[in-house]
Amino acid sequence: MNDPRRDFLKLCGLAGLGFACPGGVSSLLRAAVKEEPAYEGPFYVVFNAQGGWDTTSLMDPKGINDINRLYREGDILTKGAHRFAPTREHKQNGMSNEEFFGEFGGELLTLNGLDYSVNNHEPGARYMATGKLDSLAYPTFAALVAGCKGPTCPLSFLTFGGYSTTGNVVPMSRVPYLSSLQKLANADSIGGSPRSPYHDDCALARSDQALREQTESRAAQARLPRLERAESMLYAAQANSKSMHRIAPYIPSAVPKESLSRMADIALASFKAGICVSANFTLGTFDSHAKNDVDQMARIPELLAGIAYLIRRAEELKIRDKLVVVMQSEMGRTPTYNKQDGKDHWSIGSAMFLGPGIKGNRVIGATDEKLLHVPLNPRTLACGKDQGIRVRPEHVHEELRHLAGIADHAYSKKFPLGVPKGERLDGLWG
C-alpha cells in the first residue's frame, strides 16, 4: 500500500509546500497538534502582460501622428476619468475596453507615463516585479507581501510563470492545474478522491500520535543540521496537510478553457481557504514586433477577460472586497510602426490598480503627443515639468508596500527601495 505521507511530500516538492519553518521543529509540532488559523486577507494578485503591451491600445490612447492605426482622435472613448482606445470592433476574443472600463472604471486607478528606464525584457520584468533594477536578489512584490503576511500559509505565494524571485522570504508554490490542487487538498486519498482514502480516520489519528511522540522524544537530542532540516521538512508537510483540506469545497468542478481563468480558480480557491496570500499571473506573447495591431487585439482583450473573471469569481466567493489587483507589463511599444507593421520596445508605459484602499475612477500621470513621459509632482500628483519627477517602478513599489502595511516589516527593510522622502507618492491610492 502506498504511504500517503510520501505521496504528499512529492506533491509538496512540486508546489513548494512546507519547506520553510522559521520556528524550527518545535513550532511544527505545535502546528501538527492544531491547524494554523486561516489567513483572511487582503489577497494580492499581480497580472503581467509579458512582452510589452501597447498602452495606446488600452488606457493611454493617442489618435494623432499615426501612433495607433486602429482609431482616430475623435474615436477615443471616456468613462468617468478614464480615456481609452475603442476596441469592440477590433478584438478577436475576450473583453473589449468598452466593457472593461464600463464595468470596473469606477474602482480603477490608472497610472500613465511610468518610466521603466530600460527597454529590454529581462531587466524590465525584474524592475516592474521588484522595484529594483540593479539587483537579482530582491523579491517580487507578490512574494514579499506573502512572506510578510503569511509565511506559514501552505501556498503563501502562488506563481504561474514570469519573473517570480522570492528573495528567500517565502517558498515559491506552483500549482498548474485544478486537478493538482485537488490532489493536494486530499493528499490522504487515492488520486485526490475523498471517496477513496488510504486509511480510515482512526488509523490516521494513531499515525499522527506516533509521529508526534517520536519527534517529541528526539527534540532535545543534539542532531546534525542536515538531519534536523530533513525532519523539519517531513513535519512541515504533515502540518500543512491538515490545513490543505480546507481548499476542497472551493475547487470548481468545471475547468475553464482560458488559461487566466484556470489560474484565477486555483488562486481564488486558495485565498478562500485561507492558505494563500498572493498570486502572480502571466500572459505572454505581447511582444508585437510584427503586426502590432493584430497581436495586441488578440492579447489585450484576453488579459482583460481574465482580470474580469477573477474579480467576478471573487465576488461569488465573497472575497472581492479583500482583493488587491495590480496590472502591469515590463515595457510599452514604440509610438511608430516598423516596416512589418509592428512596434518595437519602448521604455515608457502604464499600470492599473484596484482593490481595498485604492480610490477608483482616477488617472494619474500622462504622456505627451509623442508618447514621452510627462514629469509628475509627487506632492500634488499633478503633471508639471518644472516641479515634477520621473515616476519609476520603485516609486510604485514603495506605495504598494505602504498599501499592504509592510513598509516597516523587517523583510521590506532588508530590501530597501531608496525612494527619497520628497519623492514619495503619498496620495497615489487616494
Side-chain angles (χ1 to χ4, degrees), residues 355-372:
I358 301 173
K359 183 179 180 181
N361 192 28
R362 298 162 65 228
V363 177
I364 294 173
T367 56
D368 63 16
E369 67 280 0
K370 296 181 180 180
L371 206 58
L372 296 172

Side-chain angles (χ1 to χ4, degrees), residues 28-220:
L28 290 171
L29 281 172
R30 291 191 297 272
V33 175
K34 184 178 180 181
E35 286 185 27
E36 287 287 326
Y39 174 76
E40 298 182 350
F43 309 104
Y44 302 86
V45 175
V46 179
F47 282 90
N48 299 285
Q50 190 174 46
W53 57 10
D54 185 352
T55 56
T56 69
S57 293
L58 186 53
M59 76 295 275
D60 191 14
K62 306 289 181 184
I64 57 175
N65 299 330
D66 200 36
I67 291 181
N68 196 302
R69 296 171 179 170
L70 293 175
Y71 58 89
R72 300 293 183 184
E73 184 72 14
D75 300 326
I76 293 174
L77 300 172
T78 62
K79 180 67 176 181
H82 298 282
R83 299 174 75 250
F84 52 90
T87 62
R88 181 177 284 119
E89 297 180 1
H90 305 291
K91 72 182 181 72
Q92 300 173 28
N93 50 47
M95 190 177 197
S96 68
N97 292 347
E98 291 92 322
E99 295 170 297
F100 184 78
F101 285 94
E103 184 171 352
F104 304 111
E107 54 188 308
L108 189 69
L109 167 65
T110 294
L111 175 65
N112 289 325
L114 182 61
D115 181 9
Y116 303 114
S117 303
V118 294
N119 63 358
N120 291 327
H121 292 295
E122 185 176 347
R126 180 172 67 246
Y127 200 9
M128 275 305 295
T130 68
K132 191 69 171 177
L133 178 60
D134 58 353
S135 175
L136 299 175
Y138 273 55
T140 67
F141 169 72
L144 179 64
V145 74
C148 292
K149 286 181 167 287
T152 61
C153 291
L155 300 177
S156 188
F157 169 47
L158 273 171
T159 181
F160 298 91
Y163 193 85
S164 304
T165 299
T166 67
N168 292 325
V169 301
V170 69
M172 179 194 304
S173 299
R174 293 182 183 272
V175 184
Y177 308 110
L178 283 166
S179 58
S180 303
L181 194 64
Q182 183 74 37
K183 291 177 180 179
L184 287 169
N186 298 289
D188 282 321
S189 300
I190 299 173
S193 173
R195 297 180 179 180
S196 304
Y198 286 106
H199 305 113
D200 59 31
D201 292 342
C202 179
L204 288 174
R206 293 186 66 181
S207 175
D208 288 343
Q209 181 180 356
L211 287 169
R212 187 163 55 249
E213 290 175 352
Q214 181 187 56
T215 305
E216 287 174 347
S217 68
R218 293 171 58 83

